Amino acid sequence: MSEGEPNRLVKWYRNLNNLSHENPGIRFLFIVFLILLFIPTLAMLCSLLTRTRSLVEPTPEPIAYDPDDYFVPDQIILTAQNIGTIQTVLNRINETDEDEDQALRIIRSFTVALPQETPFCPGLPANLEGLGNFAIALVEIDRDNTSITLEEALETLRESAGITAELNLIVGSPNYPTGSTTSWPYQTADPQDYSNQWAFQNINLGTRNLAEDGAGVRVIVFDTVPSAYERQEPGTKREENTLTVSGSPIQVDWVDQNDQWSVKVSTVQDEFGLPEPESAGENKAFDLSNHGLFVAQMVHAVAPASDVELVEVLNEDAVGNMFTLILAFNEKLFPVDGNPLATVANLSLGIRIPPPEAQEQFELSTVGVEALYTLIQLAHCRNIVVVAASGNTSASIYPPELADLPADWSAVIGVAASNRANQRACFSNQGEIAAPGGDGRMPQDPIPATPLPLGCRNRLEKCADGSCEFAVIGPIMPSNAGNNDTGETQQIGLAFWNGSSFASPLVAGLAARILAESPQLSPDDVRHIIECGATQAEFPHDIEGRPDRHIGDGVINVEKTLTTCMPPTE
């Protein structure tokens, strides 16, 4: 091709362009062709720019989780057919450890007796079927004698036949993760506020028979013990291999002059039983030690003749660990000498589930709560009714979170918190039944059609009397935890508090009332009777009239349940 002669591509373009002017159809096709030719070129340029930017601005590393927030360091819970199996496995690991002969050591162990009258208990692990009992042990990595990591220890133990190994997870309330909120000093109330509070009206509590309602039923509350409680001296003699020691009952004589009662108390006195309270931190802005007493009073409000015992499994910051909980659970619910009374267990606490990176790191199946799950299944088989709070982590999301563990398990009655309008409290997780627990939403707050709970936050400062819709009312003991600048002592009395923690014991009290009338009922029978009497919950405002199934069959109704839903007496 000579100089100055147009190349073939240019000639082809000119001819096509002239042709397109003569024929509109061809012109349209020509434009489409140019667009299709341009798009890949643009995509290549964008990809090149993105790669260049990623080299200049590297992706930030994800924030690492703090293991201490989720489990006790270097501790593992083992479940096996017997303690001999556990010890044999540990001996084998210790003999092969390159450092010393005490890589892993048992801190504490106990035996769980299986019910002989029940040949098959659904939900128990396969390796425990057909046994008369099984063993649970707390094992610690001896850091003075080994360099084995927690991951390596878990992996080695899980390779052993007949052994279940899991982390000693953090449990508690409210920030771990279930329960309640409050502030220092408490918003105080008076006895008249307590008796007239909306919570009792909403559940149709009615007139109680102090001598008969709940009689013959014991309710075990696993929770905190007030910091002001006068404990037994350290070293007080207790039965061998027990975790707790019984102390003096708390005389609750300041709540209702016509209903003075006492709650039994068992406290932990053990070298590993509970973590030391933090001197600072998120929980220390609150005085949580009265949480358990408040819960116990709510049980008593519904079932005043029941035998209520407060068992310490959480420290003053409302933090505990899994092994302490399951050991106390076994000790109180499955005593060696048996128990002639119908029993209800209340757990206004939850398990802080490790984040996905921890679950991957430690290969946690079913989030590593096999031991507690097994004991709760066993309680169900022994006709013990277990009630638990569903949690309060749904303040800014919709649909609400599923109930926390253990409330989400089928053998547990999971209880959500409801508000004065018999709707789900804006902070509450889902539950299969609900009871009053306060709210954090103002009536004028807009409710979109979803309905996302806008403006949901702690509003206890607005509470002044029993009509306060943001809270329920219960007792506190004097405490001087130094949570304010002056270190003043909070006077004994009543306070406003909110959360699913205080909805759960209202349901536990109703369960006690049901068992007092028909002690032969199974936990599933009790559940169905409670659901039968419930008041259906409605969605608020914009979707009014539509039942809110996020809290199951609705809000408990004591009078209706006991008068229309009980089985006929023989």
Side-chain angles (χ1 to χ4, degrees), residues 206-238:
T207 303
R208 303 172 305 154
N209 187 318
L210 301 182
E212 295 182 8
D213 291 346
V217 180
R218 64 174 189 151
V219 182
I220 311 298
V221 175
F222 296 93
D223 217 290
T224 66
V225 167
S227 58
Y229 176 74
E230 294 184 8
R231 298 168 178 267
Q232 300 284 349
E233 290 295 323
T236 298
K237 184 178 179 180
R238 63 172 186 259

PDB file of all heavy atoms in Angstrom, residues 206-238:
ATOM      1  N   GLY A 206     -54.877 -11.544  89.022  1.00  0.00           N
ATOM      2  CA  GLY A 206     -56.020 -11.774  89.895  1.00  0.00           C
ATOM      3  C   GLY A 206     -55.632 -11.834  91.363  1.00  0.00           C
ATOM      4  O   GLY A 206     -54.528 -11.482  91.774  1.00  0.00           O
ATOM      5  N   THR A 207     -56.546 -12.318  92.178  1.00  0.00           N
ATOM      6  CA  THR A 207     -56.309 -12.447  93.621  1.00  0.00           C
ATOM      7  C   THR A 207     -55.581 -13.753  93.903  1.00  0.00           C
ATOM      8  O   THR A 207     -56.009 -14.823  93.469  1.00  0.00           O
ATOM      9  CB  THR A 207     -57.638 -12.425  94.390  1.00  0.00           C
ATOM     10  OG1 THR A 207     -58.330 -11.214  94.073  1.00  0.00           O
ATOM     11  CG2 THR A 207     -57.390 -12.503  95.879  1.00  0.00           C
ATOM     12  N   ARG A 208     -54.483 -13.671  94.644  1.00  0.00           N
ATOM     13  CA  ARG A 208     -53.677 -14.853  94.918  1.00  0.00           C
ATOM     14  C   ARG A 208     -54.029 -15.448  96.269  1.00  0.00           C
ATOM     15  O   ARG A 208     -54.382 -14.740  97.208  1.00  0.00           O
ATOM     16  CB  ARG A 208     -52.197 -14.499  94.887  1.00  0.00           C
ATOM     17  CG  ARG A 208     -51.719 -13.866  93.585  1.00  0.00           C
ATOM     18  CD  ARG A 208     -50.296 -13.375  93.737  1.00  0.00           C
ATOM     19  NE  ARG A 208     -50.179 -12.456  94.867  1.00  0.00           N
ATOM     20  CZ  ARG A 208     -49.059 -12.245  95.571  1.00  0.00           C
ATOM     21  NH1 ARG A 208     -47.968 -12.897  95.261  1.00  0.00           N
ATOM     22  NH2 ARG A 208     -49.041 -11.387  96.570  1.00  0.00           N
ATOM     23  N   ASN A 209     -53.880 -16.754  96.370  1.00  0.00           N
ATOM     24  CA  ASN A 209     -53.980 -17.449  97.655  1.00  0.00           C
ATOM     25  C   ASN A 209     -52.555 -17.702  98.119  1.00  0.00           C
ATOM     26  O   ASN A 209     -51.866 -18.580  97.584  1.00  0.00           O
ATOM     27  CB  ASN A 209     -54.755 -18.755  97.510  1.00  0.00           C
ATOM     28  CG  ASN A 209     -55.029 -19.423  98.844  1.00  0.00           C
ATOM     29  OD1 ASN A 209     -54.162 -19.478  99.712  1.00  0.00           O
ATOM     30  ND2 ASN A 209     -56.237 -19.943  99.014  1.00  0.00           N
ATOM     31  N   LEU A 210     -52.104 -16.935  99.107  1.00  0.00           N
ATOM     32  CA  LEU A 210     -50.701 -16.990  99.518  1.00  0.00           C
ATOM     33  C   LEU A 210     -50.302 -18.347 100.064  1.00  0.00           C
ATOM     34  O   LEU A 210     -49.117 -18.707 100.047  1.00  0.00           O
ATOM     35  CB  LEU A 210     -50.417 -15.904 100.563  1.00  0.00           C
ATOM     36  CG  LEU A 210     -50.696 -14.459 100.126  1.00  0.00           C
ATOM     37  CD1 LEU A 210     -50.326 -13.490 101.239  1.00  0.00           C
ATOM     38  CD2 LEU A 210     -49.935 -14.120  98.847  1.00  0.00           C
ATOM     39  N   ALA A 211     -51.255 -19.108 100.565  1.00  0.00           N
ATOM     40  CA  ALA A 211     -50.944 -20.396 101.183  1.00  0.00           C
ATOM     41  C   ALA A 211     -51.043 -21.564 100.203  1.00  0.00           C
ATOM     42  O   ALA A 211     -50.527 -22.654 100.500  1.00  0.00           O
ATOM     43  CB  ALA A 211     -51.869 -20.638 102.373  1.00  0.00           C
ATOM     44  N   GLU A 212     -51.683 -21.371  99.056  1.00  0.00           N
ATOM     45  CA  GLU A 212     -51.953 -22.508  98.183  1.00  0.00           C
ATOM     46  C   GLU A 212     -51.397 -22.374  96.768  1.00  0.00           C
ATOM     47  O   GLU A 212     -51.067 -23.385  96.152  1.00  0.00           O
ATOM     48  CB  GLU A 212     -53.471 -22.733  98.087  1.00  0.00           C
ATOM     49  CG  GLU A 212     -54.117 -23.133  99.403  1.00  0.00           C
ATOM     50  CD  GLU A 212     -55.604 -23.402  99.249  1.00  0.00           C
ATOM     51  OE1 GLU A 212     -56.082 -23.425  98.085  1.00  0.00           O
ATOM     52  OE2 GLU A 212     -56.284 -23.583 100.267  1.00  0.00           O
ATOM     53  N   ASP A 213     -51.280 -21.173  96.249  1.00  0.00           N
ATOM     54  CA  ASP A 213     -50.894 -21.001  94.848  1.00  0.00           C
ATOM     55  C   ASP A 213     -49.415 -21.361  94.644  1.00  0.00           C
ATOM     56  O   ASP A 213     -48.514 -20.607  95.011  1.00  0.00           O
ATOM     57  CB  ASP A 213     -51.142 -19.559  94.396  1.00  0.00           C
ATOM     58  CG  ASP A 213     -52.626 -19.243  94.317  1.00  0.00           C
ATOM     59  OD1 ASP A 213     -53.424 -20.192  94.354  1.00  0.00           O
ATOM     60  OD2 ASP A 213     -52.970 -18.046  94.232  1.00  0.00           O
ATOM     61  N   GLY A 214     -49.192 -22.525  94.061  1.00  0.00           N
ATOM     62  CA  GLY A 214     -47.831 -23.015  93.839  1.00  0.00           C
ATOM     63  C   GLY A 214     -47.333 -23.939  94.924  1.00  0.00           C
ATOM     64  O   GLY A 214     -46.178 -24.387  94.870  1.00  0.00           O
ATOM     65  N   ALA A 215     -48.168 -24.268  95.898  1.00  0.00           N
ATOM     66  CA  ALA A 215     -47.745 -25.120  97.009  1.00  0.00           C
ATOM     67  C   ALA A 215     -47.310 -26.494  96.517  1.00  0.00           C
ATOM     68  O   ALA A 215     -47.921 -27.072  95.613  1.00  0.00           O
ATOM     69  CB  ALA A 215     -48.885 -25.256  98.027  1.00  0.00           C
ATOM     70  N   GLY A 216     -46.248 -27.028  97.112  1.00  0.00           N
ATOM     71  CA  GLY A 216     -45.750 -28.344  96.736  1.00  0.00           C
ATOM     72  C   GLY A 216     -44.865 -28.350  95.515  1.00  0.00           C
ATOM     73  O   GLY A 216     -44.502 -29.418  95.011  1.00  0.00           O
ATOM     74  N   VAL A 217     -44.474 -27.174  95.020  1.00  0.00           N
ATOM     75  CA  VAL A 217     -43.608 -27.071  93.842  1.00  0.00           C
ATOM     76  C   VAL A 217     -42.392 -26.227  94.213  1.00  0.00           C
ATOM     77  O   VAL A 217     -42.521 -25.199  94.868  1.00  0.00           O
ATOM     78  CB  VAL A 217     -44.351 -26.417  92.654  1.00  0.00           C
ATOM     79  CG1 VAL A 217     -43.441 -26.319  91.438  1.00  0.00           C
ATOM     80  CG2 VAL A 217     -45.616 -27.197  92.322  1.00  0.00           C
ATOM     81  N   ARG A 218     -41.238 -26.682  93.811  1.00  0.00           N
ATOM     82  CA  ARG A 218     -40.034 -25.864  94.031  1.00  0.00           C
ATOM     83  C   ARG A 218     -39.603 -25.235  92.708  1.00  0.00           C
ATOM     84  O   ARG A 218     -39.703 -25.849  91.636  1.00  0.00           O
ATOM     85  CB  ARG A 218     -38.908 -26.690  94.641  1.00  0.00           C
ATOM     86  CG  ARG A 218     -38.396 -27.803  93.755  1.00  0.00           C
ATOM     87  CD  ARG A 218     -37.184 -28.473  94.364  1.00  0.00           C
ATOM     88  NE  ARG A 218     -36.587 -29.390  93.400  1.00  0.00           N
ATOM     89  CZ  ARG A 218     -35.296 -29.689  93.372  1.00  0.00           C
ATOM     90  NH1 ARG A 218     -34.477 -29.157  94.263  1.00  0.00           N
ATOM     91  NH2 ARG A 218     -34.821 -30.529  92.470  1.00  0.00           N
ATOM     92  N   VAL A 219     -39.133 -23.996  92.801  1.00  0.00           N
ATOM     93  CA  VAL A 219     -38.646 -23.266  91.628  1.00  0.00           C
ATOM     94  C   VAL A 219     -37.198 -22.869  91.905  1.00  0.00           C
ATOM     95  O   VAL A 219     -36.914 -22.144  92.859  1.00  0.00           O
ATOM     96  CB  VAL A 219     -39.497 -22.018  91.331  1.00  0.00           C
ATOM     97  CG1 VAL A 219     -38.981 -21.323  90.072  1.00  0.00           C
ATOM     98  CG2 VAL A 219     -40.970 -22.385  91.171  1.00  0.00           C
ATOM     99  N   ILE A 220     -36.286 -23.372  91.087  1.00  0.00           N
ATOM    100  CA  ILE A 220     -34.860 -23.081  91.246  1.00  0.00           C
ATOM    101  C   ILE A 220     -34.487 -21.961  90.273  1.00  0.00           C
ATOM    102  O   ILE A 220     -34.657 -22.109  89.055  1.00  0.00           O
ATOM    103  CB  ILE A 220     -33.993 -24.314  90.981  1.00  0.00           C
ATOM    104  CG1 ILE A 220     -34.521 -25.523  91.761  1.00  0.00           C
ATOM    105  CG2 ILE A 220     -32.550 -24.026  91.347  1.00  0.00           C
ATOM    106  CD1 ILE A 220     -34.498 -25.362  93.248  1.00  0.00           C
ATOM    107  N   VAL A 221     -34.005 -20.859  90.803  1.00  0.00           N
ATOM    108  CA  VAL A 221     -33.591 -19.703  90.003  1.00  0.00           C
ATOM    109  C   VAL A 221     -32.068 -19.692  89.944  1.00  0.00           C
ATOM    110  O   VAL A 221     -31.398 -19.474  90.955  1.00  0.00           O
ATOM    111  CB  VAL A 221     -34.123 -18.389  90.610  1.00  0.00           C
ATOM    112  CG1 VAL A 221     -33.578 -17.188  89.843  1.00  0.00           C
ATOM    113  CG2 VAL A 221     -35.648 -18.384  90.615  1.00  0.00           C
ATOM    114  N   PHE A 222     -31.501 -19.948  88.780  1.00  0.00           N
ATOM    115  CA  PHE A 222     -30.043 -19.931  88.586  1.00  0.00           C
ATOM    116  C   PHE A 222     -29.643 -18.534  88.137  1.00  0.00           C
ATOM    117  O   PHE A 222     -29.938 -18.120  87.014  1.00  0.00           O
ATOM    118  CB  PHE A 222     -29.641 -20.980  87.549  1.00  0.00           C
ATOM    119  CG  PHE A 222     -29.932 -22.399  87.958  1.00  0.00           C
ATOM    120  CD1 PHE A 222     -31.126 -23.007  87.605  1.00  0.00           C
ATOM    121  CD2 PHE A 222     -29.016 -23.107  88.722  1.00  0.00           C
ATOM    122  CE1 PHE A 222     -31.399 -24.311  87.990  1.00  0.00           C
ATOM    123  CE2 PHE A 222     -29.282 -24.418  89.114  1.00  0.00           C
ATOM    124  CZ  PHE A 222     -30.469 -25.026  88.753  1.00  0.00           C
ATOM    125  N   ASP A 223     -28.929 -17.791  88.991  1.00  0.00           N
ATOM    126  CA  ASP A 223     -28.756 -16.365  88.718  1.00  0.00           C
ATOM    127  C   ASP A 223     -27.662 -15.773  89.608  1.00  0.00           C
ATOM    128  O   ASP A 223     -26.750 -16.485  90.045  1.00  0.00           O
ATOM    129  CB  ASP A 223     -30.093 -15.639  88.955  1.00  0.00           C
ATOM    130  CG  ASP A 223     -30.331 -14.521  87.960  1.00  0.00           C
ATOM    131  OD1 ASP A 223     -29.613 -13.505  88.055  1.00  0.00           O
ATOM    132  OD2 ASP A 223     -31.227 -14.652  87.108  1.00  0.00           O
ATOM    133  N   THR A 224     -27.784 -14.468  89.901  1.00  0.00           N
ATOM    134  CA  THR A 224     -26.870 -13.768  90.808  1.00  0.00           C
ATOM    135  C   THR A 224     -27.411 -13.804  92.232  1.00  0.00           C
ATOM    136  O   THR A 224     -28.581 -14.093  92.461  1.00  0.00           O
ATOM    137  CB  THR A 224     -26.714 -12.297  90.407  1.00  0.00           C
ATOM    138  OG1 THR A 224     -27.972 -11.630  90.602  1.00  0.00           O
ATOM    139  CG2 THR A 224     -26.293 -12.139  88.960  1.00  0.00           C
ATOM    140  N   VAL A 225     -26.545 -13.469  93.189  1.00  0.00           N
ATOM    141  CA  VAL A 225     -26.933 -13.249  94.580  1.00  0.00           C
ATOM    142  C   VAL A 225     -26.524 -11.816  94.923  1.00  0.00           C
ATOM    143  O   VAL A 225     -25.429 -11.374  94.554  1.00  0.00           O
ATOM    144  CB  VAL A 225     -26.253 -14.263  95.520  1.00  0.00           C
ATOM    145  CG1 VAL A 225     -26.401 -13.859  96.977  1.00  0.00           C
ATOM    146  CG2 VAL A 225     -26.853 -15.654  95.307  1.00  0.00           C
ATOM    147  N   PRO A 226     -27.373 -11.041  95.611  1.00  0.00           N
ATOM    148  CA  PRO A 226     -27.038  -9.642  95.895  1.00  0.00           C
ATOM    149  C   PRO A 226     -25.678  -9.492  96.584  1.00  0.00           C
ATOM    150  O   PRO A 226     -25.318 -10.285  97.456  1.00  0.00           O
ATOM    151  CB  PRO A 226     -28.177  -9.185  96.818  1.00  0.00           C
ATOM    152  CG  PRO A 226     -29.329 -10.067  96.462  1.00  0.00           C
ATOM    153  CD  PRO A 226     -28.720 -11.400  96.129  1.00  0.00           C
ATOM    154  N   SER A 227     -24.939  -8.482  96.179  1.00  0.00           N
ATOM    155  CA  SER A 227     -23.627  -8.244  96.787  1.00  0.00           C
ATOM    156  C   SER A 227     -23.749  -7.926  98.266  1.00  0.00           C
ATOM    157  O   SER A 227     -22.804  -8.147  99.033  1.00  0.00           O
ATOM    158  CB  SER A 227     -22.919  -7.094  96.067  1.00  0.00           C
ATOM    159  OG  SER A 227     -23.705  -5.914  96.117  1.00  0.00           O
ATOM    160  N   ALA A 228     -24.920  -7.435  98.696  1.00  0.00           N
ATOM    161  CA  ALA A 228     -25.121  -7.103 100.104  1.00  0.00           C
ATOM    162  C   ALA A 228     -25.474  -8.330 100.947  1.00  0.00           C
ATOM    163  O   ALA A 228     -25.562  -8.226 102.171  1.00  0.00           O
ATOM    164  CB  ALA A 228     -26.237  -6.061 100.236  1.00  0.00           C
ATOM    165  N   TYR A 229     -25.678  -9.464 100.311  1.00  0.00           N
ATOM    166  CA  TYR A 229     -26.048 -10.680 101.049  1.00  0.00           C
ATOM    167  C   TYR A 229     -24.902 -11.115 101.953  1.00  0.00           C
ATOM    168  O   TYR A 229     -23.732 -11.140 101.538  1.00  0.00           O
ATOM    169  CB  TYR A 229     -26.399 -11.793 100.068  1.00  0.00           C
ATOM    170  CG  TYR A 229     -26.697 -13.119 100.711  1.00  0.00           C
ATOM    171  CD1 TYR A 229     -27.894 -13.329 101.390  1.00  0.00           C
ATOM    172  CD2 TYR A 229     -25.782 -14.162 100.641  1.00  0.00           C
ATOM    173  CE1 TYR A 229     -28.172 -14.553 101.980  1.00  0.00           C
ATOM    174  CE2 TYR A 229     -26.048 -15.380 101.220  1.00  0.00           C
ATOM    175  CZ  TYR A 229     -27.250 -15.569 101.898  1.00  0.00           C
ATOM    176  OH  TYR A 229     -27.514 -16.784 102.486  1.00  0.00           O
ATOM    177  N   GLU A 230     -25.197 -11.441 103.201  1.00  0.00           N
ATOM    178  CA  GLU A 230     -24.184 -11.883 104.164  1.00  0.00           C
ATOM    179  C   GLU A 230     -23.901 -13.364 103.943  1.00  0.00           C
ATOM    180  O   GLU A 230     -24.670 -14.239 104.353  1.00  0.00           O
ATOM    181  CB  GLU A 230     -24.661 -11.623 105.595  1.00  0.00           C
ATOM    182  CG  GLU A 230     -24.807 -10.151 105.930  1.00  0.00           C
ATOM    183  CD  GLU A 230     -25.174  -9.931 107.376  1.00  0.00           C
ATOM    184  OE1 GLU A 230     -25.162 -10.912 108.156  1.00  0.00           O
ATOM    185  OE2 GLU A 230     -25.467  -8.780 107.741  1.00  0.00           O
ATOM    186  N   ARG A 231     -22.770 -13.636 103.330  1.00  0.00           N
ATOM    187  CA  ARG A 231     -22.407 -15.002 102.989  1.00  0.00           C
ATOM    188  C   ARG A 231     -21.840 -15.747 104.185  1.00  0.00           C
ATOM    189  O   ARG A 231     -21.385 -15.142 105.159  1.00  0.00           O
ATOM    190  CB  ARG A 231     -21.364 -15.014 101.862  1.00  0.00           C
ATOM    191  CG  ARG A 231     -21.861 -14.389 100.579  1.00  0.00           C
ATOM    192  CD  ARG A 231     -20.714 -14.154  99.614  1.00  0.00           C
ATOM    193  NE  ARG A 231     -21.206 -13.591  98.365  1.00  0.00           N
ATOM    194  CZ  ARG A 231     -21.530 -14.323  97.315  1.00  0.00           C
ATOM    195  NH1 ARG A 231     -21.395 -15.643  97.373  1.00  0.00           N
ATOM    196  NH2 ARG A 231     -21.984 -13.764  96.211  1.00  0.00           N
ATOM    197  N   GLN A 232     -21.865 -17.064 104.057  1.00  0.00           N
ATOM    198  CA  GLN A 232     -21.193 -17.886 105.061  1.00  0.00           C
ATOM    199  C   GLN A 232     -19.687 -17.627 104.976  1.00  0.00           C
ATOM    200  O   GLN A 232     -19.160 -17.256 103.927  1.00  0.00           O
ATOM    201  CB  GLN A 232     -21.485 -19.369 104.814  1.00  0.00           C
ATOM    202  CG  GLN A 232     -22.961 -19.725 104.878  1.00  0.00           C
ATOM    203  CD  GLN A 232     -23.479 -19.771 106.305  1.00  0.00           C
ATOM    204  OE1 GLN A 232     -22.713 -19.728 107.253  1.00  0.00           O
ATOM    205  NE2 GLN A 232     -24.792 -19.821 106.450  1.00  0.00           N
ATOM    206  N   GLU A 233     -18.998 -17.828 106.077  1.00  0.00           N
ATOM    207  CA  GLU A 233     -17.557 -17.644 106.069  1.00  0.00           C
ATOM    208  C   GLU A 233     -16.909 -18.637 105.101  1.00  0.00           C
ATOM    209  O   GLU A 233     -17.366 -19.772 104.969  1.00  0.00           O
ATOM    210  CB  GLU A 233     -16.983 -17.855 107.478  1.00  0.00           C
ATOM    211  CG  GLU A 233     -17.357 -16.763 108.453  1.00  0.00           C
ATOM    212  CD  GLU A 233     -16.769 -15.427 108.060  1.00  0.00           C
ATOM    213  OE1 GLU A 233     -15.625 -15.411 107.557  1.00  0.00           O
ATOM    214  OE2 GLU A 233     -17.450 -14.399 108.233  1.00  0.00           O
ATOM    215  N   PRO A 234     -15.845 -18.226 104.405  1.00  0.00           N
ATOM    216  CA  PRO A 234     -15.149 -19.158 103.508  1.00  0.00           C
ATOM    217  C   PRO A 234     -14.728 -20.412 104.260  1.00  0.00           C
ATOM    218  O   PRO A 234     -14.302 -20.361 105.409  1.00  0.00           O
ATOM    219  CB  PRO A 234     -13.928 -18.350 103.047  1.00  0.00           C
ATOM    220  CG  PRO A 234     -14.348 -16.923 103.187  1.00  0.00           C
ATOM    221  CD  PRO A 234     -15.260 -16.880 104.384  1.00  0.00           C
ATOM    222  N   GLY A 235     -14.865 -21.534 103.589  1.00  0.00           N
ATOM    223  CA  GLY A 235     -14.501 -22.788 104.234  1.00  0.00           C
ATOM    224  C   GLY A 235     -15.632 -23.421 105.000  1.00  0.00           C
ATOM    225  O   GLY A 235     -15.446 -24.441 105.663  1.00  0.00           O
ATOM    226  N   THR A 236     -16.834 -22.808 104.938  1.00  0.00           N
ATOM    227  CA  THR A 236     -17.976 -23.390 105.626  1.00  0.00           C
ATOM    228  C   THR A 236     -18.176 -24.829 105.154  1.00  0.00           C
ATOM    229  O   THR A 236     -18.114 -25.115 103.962  1.00  0.00           O
ATOM    230  CB  THR A 236     -19.253 -22.572 105.338  1.00  0.00           C
ATOM    231  OG1 THR A 236     -19.053 -21.251 105.834  1.00  0.00           O
ATOM    232  CG2 THR A 236     -20.455 -23.187 106.027  1.00  0.00           C
ATOM    233  N   LYS A 237     -18.411 -25.710 106.089  1.00  0.00           N
ATOM    234  CA  LYS A 237     -18.553 -27.121 105.752  1.00  0.00           C
ATOM    235  C   LYS A 237     -19.752 -27.327 104.843  1.00  0.00           C
ATOM    236  O   LYS A 237     -20.824 -26.810 105.069  1.00  0.00           O
ATOM    237  CB  LYS A 237     -18.730 -27.956 107.019  1.00  0.00           C
ATOM    238  CG  LYS A 237     -18.790 -29.457 106.746  1.00  0.00           C
ATOM    239  CD  LYS A 237     -18.921 -30.241 108.044  1.00  0.00           C
ATOM    240  CE  LYS A 237     -18.999 -31.736 107.758  1.00  0.00           C
ATOM    241  NZ  LYS A 237     -19.128 -32.532 108.994  1.00  0.00           N
ATOM    242  N   ARG A 238     -19.543 -28.091 103.795  1.00  0.00           N
ATOM    243  CA  ARG A 238     -20.629 -28.445 102.897  1.00  0.00           C
ATOM    244  C   ARG A 238     -20.461 -29.906 102.509  1.00  0.00           C
ATOM    245  O   ARG A 238     -19.429 -30.525 102.766  1.00  0.00           O
ATOM    246  CB  ARG A 238     -20.617 -27.561 101.659  1.00  0.00           C
ATOM    247  CG  ARG A 238     -19.364 -27.689 100.792  1.00  0.00           C
ATOM    248  CD  ARG A 238     -19.556 -26.914  99.497  1.00  0.00           C
ATOM    249  NE  ARG A 238     -18.453 -27.114  98.583  1.00  0.00           N
ATOM    250  CZ  ARG A 238     -17.471 -26.249  98.397  1.00  0.00           C
ATOM    251  NH1 ARG A 238     -17.460 -25.135  99.080  1.00  0.00           N
ATOM    252  NH2 ARG A 238     -16.510 -26.502  97.525  1.00  0.00           N
TER     253      ARG A 238
END
